[in-house]
mmCIF file of all heavy atoms in Angstrom:
data_model
loop_
_atom_site.group_PDB
_atom_site.id
_atom_site.type_symbol
_atom_site.label_atom_id
_atom_site.label_comp_id
_atom_site.label_asym_id
_atom_site.label_seq_id
_atom_site.Cartn_x
_atom_site.Cartn_y
_atom_site.Cartn_z
ATOM 1 N N SER E 101 96.336 17.188 -54.462
ATOM 2 C CA SER E 101 96.828 17.579 -53.144
ATOM 3 C C SER E 101 96.589 16.462 -52.135
ATOM 4 O O SER E 101 95.684 15.641 -52.288
ATOM 5 C CB SER E 101 96.133 18.858 -52.664
ATOM 6 O OG SER E 101 94.743 18.617 -52.468
ATOM 7 N N ASN E 102 97.413 16.456 -51.117
ATOM 8 C CA ASN E 102 97.236 15.571 -49.969
ATOM 9 C C ASN E 102 96.454 16.360 -48.940
ATOM 10 O O ASN E 102 96.972 17.321 -48.361
ATOM 11 C CB ASN E 102 98.607 15.134 -49.426
ATOM 12 C CG ASN E 102 98.493 14.058 -48.360
ATOM 13 O OD1 ASN E 102 97.408 13.718 -47.907
ATOM 14 N ND2 ASN E 102 99.629 13.517 -47.950
ATOM 15 N N SER E 103 95.214 15.973 -48.699
ATOM 16 C CA SER E 103 94.304 16.805 -47.918
ATOM 17 C C SER E 103 93.619 16.016 -46.815
ATOM 18 O O SER E 103 93.764 14.805 -46.702
ATOM 19 C CB SER E 103 93.248 17.443 -48.834
ATOM 20 O OG SER E 103 93.849 18.259 -49.817
ATOM 21 N N ALA E 104 92.867 16.737 -46.012
ATOM 22 C CA ALA E 104 91.972 16.142 -45.018
ATOM 23 C C ALA E 104 90.625 16.825 -45.165
ATOM 24 O O ALA E 104 90.558 18.036 -45.401
ATOM 25 C CB ALA E 104 92.524 16.326 -43.609
ATOM 26 N N VAL E 105 89.554 16.055 -45.050
ATOM 27 C CA VAL E 105 88.212 16.607 -45.219
ATOM 28 C C VAL E 105 87.374 16.314 -43.983
ATOM 29 O O VAL E 105 87.569 15.303 -43.307
ATOM 30 C CB VAL E 105 87.507 16.044 -46.477
ATOM 31 C CG1 VAL E 105 88.226 16.478 -47.726
ATOM 32 C CG2 VAL E 105 87.432 14.520 -46.423
ATOM 33 N N TYR E 106 86.455 17.213 -43.706
ATOM 34 C CA TYR E 106 85.576 17.074 -42.548
ATOM 35 C C TYR E 106 84.130 17.066 -43.018
ATOM 36 O O TYR E 106 83.687 17.968 -43.722
ATOM 37 C CB TYR E 106 85.815 18.222 -41.567
ATOM 38 C CG TYR E 106 84.868 18.237 -40.393
ATOM 39 C CD1 TYR E 106 84.702 17.112 -39.589
ATOM 40 C CD2 TYR E 106 84.124 19.380 -40.087
ATOM 41 C CE1 TYR E 106 83.833 17.133 -38.515
ATOM 42 C CE2 TYR E 106 83.264 19.415 -39.008
ATOM 43 C CZ TYR E 106 83.111 18.285 -38.218
ATOM 44 O OH TYR E 106 82.241 18.299 -37.155
ATOM 45 N N PHE E 107 83.404 16.020 -42.639
ATOM 46 C CA PHE E 107 81.985 15.883 -42.965
ATOM 47 C C PHE E 107 81.167 16.055 -41.691
ATOM 48 O O PHE E 107 81.408 15.367 -40.694
ATOM 49 C CB PHE E 107 81.670 14.496 -43.529
ATOM 50 C CG PHE E 107 82.455 14.110 -44.749
ATOM 51 C CD1 PHE E 107 83.667 13.454 -44.623
ATOM 52 C CD2 PHE E 107 81.973 14.371 -46.020
ATOM 53 C CE1 PHE E 107 84.389 13.069 -45.748
ATOM 54 C CE2 PHE E 107 82.689 13.996 -47.146
ATOM 55 C CZ PHE E 107 83.895 13.345 -46.996
ATOM 56 N N GLU E 108 80.204 16.959 -41.734
ATOM 57 C CA GLU E 108 79.270 17.089 -40.625
ATOM 58 C C GLU E 108 78.072 16.179 -40.874
ATOM 59 O O GLU E 108 77.762 15.862 -42.027
ATOM 60 C CB GLU E 108 78.808 18.535 -40.481
ATOM 61 C CG GLU E 108 79.910 19.486 -40.064
ATOM 62 C CD GLU E 108 79.418 20.913 -39.979
ATOM 63 O OE1 GLU E 108 78.465 21.247 -40.714
ATOM 64 O OE2 GLU E 108 79.988 21.681 -39.196
ATOM 65 N N PRO E 109 77.371 15.749 -39.830
ATOM 66 C CA PRO E 109 76.190 14.904 -40.035
ATOM 67 C C PRO E 109 75.172 15.557 -40.969
ATOM 68 O O PRO E 109 74.801 16.711 -40.794
ATOM 69 C CB PRO E 109 75.621 14.757 -38.616
ATOM 70 C CG PRO E 109 76.792 14.957 -37.725
ATOM 71 C CD PRO E 109 77.654 15.978 -38.414
ATOM 72 N N ASP E 110 74.780 14.783 -41.987
ATOM 73 C CA ASP E 110 73.752 15.213 -42.942
ATOM 74 C C ASP E 110 74.123 16.475 -43.720
ATOM 75 O O ASP E 110 73.256 17.179 -44.242
ATOM 76 C CB ASP E 110 72.399 15.422 -42.242
ATOM 77 C CG ASP E 110 71.884 14.147 -41.629
ATOM 78 O OD1 ASP E 110 72.017 13.091 -42.273
ATOM 79 O OD2 ASP E 110 71.369 14.180 -40.507
ATOM 80 N N ASN E 111 75.411 16.755 -43.811
ATOM 81 C CA ASN E 111 75.867 17.906 -44.591
ATOM 82 C C ASN E 111 77.029 17.492 -45.466
ATOM 83 O O ASN E 111 77.844 16.650 -45.089
ATOM 84 C CB ASN E 111 76.319 19.046 -43.673
ATOM 85 C CG ASN E 111 75.145 19.870 -43.188
ATOM 86 O OD1 ASN E 111 74.449 20.501 -43.972
ATOM 87 N ND2 ASN E 111 74.926 19.844 -41.886
ATOM 88 N N LEU E 112 77.113 18.068 -46.640
ATOM 89 C CA LEU E 112 78.252 17.811 -47.521
ATOM 90 C C LEU E 112 79.390 18.746 -47.156
ATOM 91 O O LEU E 112 79.187 19.823 -46.607
ATOM 92 C CB LEU E 112 77.832 18.019 -48.977
ATOM 93 C CG LEU E 112 76.683 17.140 -49.466
ATOM 94 C CD1 LEU E 112 76.405 17.428 -50.932
ATOM 95 C CD2 LEU E 112 77.026 15.662 -49.277
ATOM 96 N N THR E 113 80.586 18.316 -47.476
ATOM 97 C CA THR E 113 81.730 19.148 -47.175
ATOM 98 C C THR E 113 81.759 20.379 -48.082
ATOM 99 O O THR E 113 81.170 20.392 -49.151
ATOM 100 C CB THR E 113 83.031 18.346 -47.346
ATOM 101 O OG1 THR E 113 84.108 19.124 -46.825
ATOM 102 C CG2 THR E 113 83.326 18.036 -48.787
ATOM 103 N N SER E 114 82.421 21.389 -47.634
ATOM 104 C CA SER E 114 82.596 22.594 -48.449
ATOM 105 C C SER E 114 84.058 23.010 -48.349
ATOM 106 O O SER E 114 84.841 22.427 -47.611
ATOM 107 C CB SER E 114 81.673 23.716 -47.971
ATOM 108 O OG SER E 114 81.964 24.063 -46.635
ATOM 109 N N GLU E 115 84.418 24.035 -49.089
ATOM 110 C CA GLU E 115 85.825 24.368 -49.225
ATOM 111 C C GLU E 115 86.497 24.675 -47.895
ATOM 112 O O GLU E 115 87.644 24.325 -47.661
ATOM 113 C CB GLU E 115 85.972 25.569 -50.171
ATOM 114 C CG GLU E 115 87.114 25.391 -51.147
ATOM 115 C CD GLU E 115 87.116 26.463 -52.210
ATOM 116 O OE1 GLU E 115 86.365 26.322 -53.182
ATOM 117 O OE2 GLU E 115 87.874 27.426 -52.033
ATOM 118 N N ASN E 116 85.772 25.323 -46.973
ATOM 119 C CA ASN E 116 86.399 25.678 -45.714
ATOM 120 C C ASN E 116 86.522 24.480 -44.779
ATOM 121 O O ASN E 116 87.034 24.606 -43.669
ATOM 122 C CB ASN E 116 85.631 26.806 -45.024
ATOM 123 C CG ASN E 116 84.224 26.392 -44.620
ATOM 124 O OD1 ASN E 116 83.701 25.398 -45.095
ATOM 125 N ND2 ASN E 116 83.614 27.173 -43.743
ATOM 126 N N LYS E 117 86.052 23.308 -45.212
ATOM 127 C CA LYS E 117 86.208 22.096 -44.408
ATOM 128 C C LYS E 117 87.233 21.155 -45.032
ATOM 129 O O LYS E 117 87.277 19.982 -44.719
ATOM 130 C CB LYS E 117 84.866 21.411 -44.233
ATOM 131 C CG LYS E 117 83.910 22.238 -43.376
ATOM 132 C CD LYS E 117 82.511 21.685 -43.389
ATOM 133 C CE LYS E 117 81.559 22.668 -42.706
ATOM 134 N NZ LYS E 117 80.160 22.313 -42.941
ATOM 135 N N ILE E 118 88.048 21.679 -45.910
ATOM 136 C CA ILE E 118 89.131 20.912 -46.510
ATOM 137 C C ILE E 118 90.464 21.534 -46.091
ATOM 138 O O ILE E 118 90.675 22.738 -46.231
ATOM 139 C CB ILE E 118 89.027 20.901 -48.044
ATOM 140 C CG1 ILE E 118 87.729 20.223 -48.488
ATOM 141 C CG2 ILE E 118 90.231 20.177 -48.655
ATOM 142 C CD1 ILE E 118 87.501 20.270 -49.984
ATOM 143 N N TYR E 119 91.332 20.712 -45.528
ATOM 144 C CA TYR E 119 92.685 21.149 -45.177
ATOM 145 C C TYR E 119 93.659 20.505 -46.157
ATOM 146 O O TYR E 119 93.581 19.306 -46.428
ATOM 147 C CB TYR E 119 93.044 20.720 -43.755
ATOM 148 C CG TYR E 119 94.521 20.875 -43.443
ATOM 149 C CD1 TYR E 119 95.078 22.137 -43.269
ATOM 150 C CD2 TYR E 119 95.346 19.759 -43.353
ATOM 151 C CE1 TYR E 119 96.431 22.295 -43.010
ATOM 152 C CE2 TYR E 119 96.704 19.899 -43.083
ATOM 153 C CZ TYR E 119 97.237 21.167 -42.914
ATOM 154 O OH TYR E 119 98.571 21.311 -42.661
ATOM 155 N N THR E 120 94.571 21.293 -46.679
ATOM 156 C CA THR E 120 95.584 20.791 -47.607
ATOM 157 C C THR E 120 96.947 20.828 -46.943
ATOM 158 O O THR E 120 97.352 21.854 -46.378
ATOM 159 C CB THR E 120 95.595 21.632 -48.895
ATOM 160 O OG1 THR E 120 94.311 21.529 -49.524
ATOM 161 C CG2 THR E 120 96.650 21.117 -49.856
ATOM 162 N N LYS E 121 97.645 19.705 -47.006
ATOM 163 C CA LYS E 121 98.952 19.566 -46.362
ATOM 164 C C LYS E 121 99.888 20.685 -46.804
ATOM 165 O O LYS E 121 100.056 20.951 -47.996
ATOM 166 C CB LYS E 121 99.545 18.201 -46.711
ATOM 167 C CG LYS E 121 100.817 17.854 -45.959
ATOM 168 C CD LYS E 121 101.277 16.445 -46.320
ATOM 169 C CE LYS E 121 102.512 16.033 -45.548
ATOM 170 N NZ LYS E 121 102.979 14.676 -45.937
ATOM 171 N N GLN E 122 100.528 21.339 -45.823
ATOM 172 C CA GLN E 122 101.395 22.470 -46.116
ATOM 173 C C GLN E 122 102.843 22.059 -46.345
ATOM 174 O O GLN E 122 103.518 22.587 -47.220
ATOM 175 C CB GLN E 122 101.376 23.460 -44.942
ATOM 176 C CG GLN E 122 99.995 23.930 -44.524
ATOM 177 C CD GLN E 122 100.063 24.645 -43.202
ATOM 178 O OE1 GLN E 122 100.615 25.751 -43.106
ATOM 179 N NE2 GLN E 122 99.525 24.042 -42.158
ATOM 180 N N LYS E 123 103.322 21.129 -45.528
ATOM 181 C CA LYS E 123 104.734 20.752 -45.565
ATOM 182 C C LYS E 123 104.851 19.400 -46.257
ATOM 183 O O LYS E 123 104.598 18.352 -45.667
ATOM 184 C CB LYS E 123 105.308 20.693 -44.153
ATOM 185 C CG LYS E 123 106.815 20.790 -44.128
ATOM 186 C CD LYS E 123 107.317 21.069 -42.719
ATOM 187 C CE LYS E 123 108.793 21.368 -42.692
ATOM 188 N NZ LYS E 123 109.153 22.645 -43.336
ATOM 189 N N LEU E 124 105.221 19.447 -47.525
ATOM 190 C CA LEU E 124 105.272 18.234 -48.337
ATOM 191 C C LEU E 124 106.599 17.512 -48.157
ATOM 192 O O LEU E 124 107.637 18.125 -47.914
ATOM 193 C CB LEU E 124 105.054 18.585 -49.810
ATOM 194 C CG LEU E 124 103.756 19.341 -50.134
ATOM 195 C CD1 LEU E 124 103.635 19.571 -51.633
ATOM 196 C CD2 LEU E 124 102.531 18.590 -49.614
ATOM 197 N N VAL E 125 106.550 16.192 -48.296
ATOM 198 C CA VAL E 125 107.744 15.364 -48.135
ATOM 199 C C VAL E 125 108.632 15.526 -49.375
ATOM 200 O O VAL E 125 108.171 15.305 -50.500
ATOM 201 C CB VAL E 125 107.368 13.886 -47.957
ATOM 202 C CG1 VAL E 125 108.623 13.022 -47.830
ATOM 203 C CG2 VAL E 125 106.459 13.713 -46.740
ATOM 204 N N PRO E 126 109.894 15.911 -49.199
ATOM 205 C CA PRO E 126 110.786 16.035 -50.362
ATOM 206 C C PRO E 126 110.881 14.735 -51.151
ATOM 207 O O PRO E 126 110.878 13.650 -50.578
ATOM 208 C CB PRO E 126 112.140 16.401 -49.725
ATOM 209 C CG PRO E 126 111.785 17.009 -48.410
ATOM 210 C CD PRO E 126 110.556 16.293 -47.944
ATOM 211 N N ILE E 127 110.924 14.842 -52.452
ATOM 212 C CA ILE E 127 111.005 13.741 -53.413
ATOM 213 C C ILE E 127 109.671 13.020 -53.540
ATOM 214 O O ILE E 127 109.094 12.929 -54.625
ATOM 215 C CB ILE E 127 112.127 12.730 -53.077
ATOM 216 C CG1 ILE E 127 113.458 13.468 -52.865
ATOM 217 C CG2 ILE E 127 112.227 11.693 -54.189
ATOM 218 C CD1 ILE E 127 113.908 14.273 -54.051
ATOM 219 N N ALA E 128 109.137 12.508 -52.436
ATOM 220 C CA ALA E 128 107.888 11.746 -52.503
ATOM 221 C C ALA E 128 106.697 12.622 -52.876
ATOM 222 O O ALA E 128 105.808 12.202 -53.621
ATOM 223 C CB ALA E 128 107.621 11.044 -51.183
ATOM 224 N N GLU E 129 106.667 13.872 -52.356
ATOM 225 C CA GLU E 129 105.518 14.741 -52.601
ATOM 226 C C GLU E 129 105.879 16.026 -53.349
ATOM 227 O O GLU E 129 105.003 16.616 -53.987
ATOM 228 C CB GLU E 129 104.835 15.092 -51.276
ATOM 229 C CG GLU E 129 104.145 13.907 -50.614
ATOM 230 C CD GLU E 129 103.437 14.271 -49.336
ATOM 231 O OE1 GLU E 129 103.904 15.195 -48.622
ATOM 232 O OE2 GLU E 129 102.420 13.632 -49.023
#
């Protein structure tokens, strides 16, 4: 997936801090 992740200071990311692109580019994605 094409996503975005958010890291808080001194904390690891978790599932609710991952955004996955909803509108994919035709052909390329």
